[in-house]
Amino acid sequence: ITTILIHINENMNKKTYTTKEVAAMLKVSTGTIKNMIYRGDLDALKLGYRTLRITEVSLNNYFQLNTNN
């Protein structure tokens, strides 16, 4: 997990998703998403003790790496 100090002005226009939102998109449990993050399969931002956010860029990278062409 990448821990990043976020500067609000720099990240206002970047889309982020909660683990719950990503789980709904992929039709899996939030536990599965957290496991993907902890294994390093999906990049996430840790914004506090228990707060994780997944960026749109991270999701796109995951889909590109895990889609059979």
Side-chain angles (χ1 to χ4, degrees), residues 4-68:
I4 297 177
L5 178 61
I6 295 186
H7 300 282
I8 294 173
N9 291 336
E10 294 175 5
N11 291 302
M12 287 298 288
N13 295 325
K14 295 181 182 178
K15 178 65 179 161
T16 61
Y17 302 96
T18 64
T19 55
K20 186 175 181 178
E21 291 170 326
V22 174
M25 287 180 211
L26 300 180
K27 298 181 182 175
V28 297
S29 70
T30 56
T32 298
I33 298 301
K34 289 176 186 177
N35 286 336
M36 291 167 64
I37 293 167
Y38 294 130
R39 281 193 315 257
D41 297 338
L42 182 62
D43 292 329
L45 305 172
K46 188 169 184 177
L47 303 178
Y49 179 68
R50 296 185 335 183
T51 305
L52 295 169
R53 293 292 181 267
I54 298 99
T55 65
E56 192 168 35
V57 171
S58 294
L59 273 179
N60 289 336
N61 289 341
Y62 175 78
F63 289 131
Q64 286 179 353
L65 292 172
N66 294 288
T67 303
N68 295 329

